Amino acid sequence: GAGVSQSPSNKVTEKGKDVELRCDPISGHTALYWYRQSLGQGLEFLIYFQGNSAPDKSGLPSDRFSAERTGGSVSTLTIQRTQQEDSAVYLCASSLVSGRQETQYFGPGTRLLVL
Amino acid sequence: EDQVTQSPEALRLQEGESSSLNCSYTVSGLRGLFWYRQDPGKGPEFLFTLYSAGEEKEKERLKATLTKKESFLHITAPKPEDSATYLCAVEISGTSYGKLTFGQGTILTVHP
């Protein structure tokens, strides 16, 4: 079956512009996660959605970052007033449910470059 | 402070030369430890989950083990196609399920 898909694959933007990154999880997966992978850094947790529960936003680095998940499926990560330090690969993952033994399946990522 | 450290940062092996990658962790409580493989330009691919000290899991040429302080990923007789970045992550007790804290990875290169 189809895996996690993300769009766009690559995004180049100018400092100060807003960007939206999209994630389509695996059909039927109720848990969705966003991570950021910067050059030379490990993957950094950003935000987590589980069903209709309030999202865990504890990893968002600033109030310029926000995310929503519509209809329990597609998710959009929005970065407002982008800065050069926002340049990174943004990865989305989903799992069937949230809990022990549930494998997270990652998408290919969106490579964001802020000039 | 919760921390995950992987070593070495990079490892170069000849085909057939077995070795191990290390993931040491300092966390308030471990719910699970995960190993992923990441190829260039792709997202991480799940390999193993380990939950308790003494646990071992195997898949083809890979074997993961867990102690109370660290995990090892043993690679037996590696092949060039095993070349990738190997990531270790932990799920910490008291945090959201699935919220993973990653190490910085080990870049493995296997030469034919």
Side-chain angles (χ1 to χ4, degrees):
Chain A
V4 177
S5 60
Q6 294 186 244
S7 61
S9 300
N10 296 280
K11 177 71 176 180
V12 180
T13 191
E14 294 179 348
K15 178 182 173 181
K17 295 283 181 68
D18 297 351
V19 295
E20 285 189 352
L21 313 179
R22 177 187 168 106
C23 172
D24 283 88
I26 294 172
S27 178
H29 281 196
T30 62
L32 187 147
Y33 313 82
W34 283 98
Y35 293 87
R36 177 169 72 174
Q37 188 171 33
S38 305
L39 194 62
Q41 304 280 335
L43 272 81
E44 173 190 15
F45 168 83
L46 297 177
I47 188 169
Y48 149 67
F49 296 90
Q50 169 56 55
N52 295 322
S53 303
D56 179 345
K57 303 179 181 181
S58 60
L60 293 178
S62 77
D63 58 9
R64 296 186 295 105
F65 288 73
S66 63
E68 63 177 18
R69 189 177 185 192
T70 54
S73 182
V74 171
S75 177
T76 302
L77 178 69
T78 301
I79 309 174
Q80 295 179 310
R81 304 181 303 281
T82 52
Q83 303 294 313
Q84 289 182 332
E85 60 263 29
D86 299 333
S87 296
V89 177
Y90 289 82
L91 290 158
C92 174
S94 70
S95 64
L96 188 57
V97 294
S98 174
R100 186 167 166 156
Q101 299 182 344
E102 288 300 334
T103 300
Q104 289 186 36
Y105 296 89
F106 282 82
T110 293
R111 284 150 192 80
L112 175 66
L113 177 61
V114 181
L115 300 177
Chain B
E1 181 184 349
D2 298 317
Q3 199 165 0
V4 180
T5 304
Q6 291 188 245
S7 62
E9 291 184 7
L11 181 62
R12 301 167 70 92
L13 300 174
Q14 288 297 128
E15 185 172 3
E17 179 187 1
S18 301
S19 189
S20 296
L21 282 56
N22 177 264
C23 172
S24 63
Y25 60 91
T26 306
V27 298
S28 51
L30 182 70
R31 188 184 287 147
L33 186 141
F34 302 77
W35 282 98
Y36 283 85
R37 168 193 170 126
Q38 187 174 25
D39 292 302
K42 297 188 176 181
E45 175 187 347
F46 172 78
L47 294 174
F48 303 109
T49 308
L50 302 167
Y51 293 106
S52 56
E55 191 174 358
E56 299 183 352
K57 288 191 177 174
E58 290 188 64
K59 179 181 178 180
E60 296 181 354
R61 296 178 293 282
L62 300 176
K63 179 180 177 179
T65 62
L66 181 65
T67 73
K68 289 186 177 180
K69 294 182 179 181
E70 59 192 349
S71 177
F72 291 94
L73 184 65
H74 306 277
I75 303 177
T76 302
K79 298 181 178 182
E81 54 262 41
D82 294 322
S83 297
T85 297
Y86 290 84
L87 301 170
C88 166
V90 298
E91 190 176 299
I92 301 168
S93 301
T95 65
S96 299
Y97 279 102
K99 178 179 177 180
L100 301 180
T101 300
F102 281 84
Q104 298 209 18
T106 293
I107 302 171
L108 174 66
T109 306
V110 182
H111 296 282

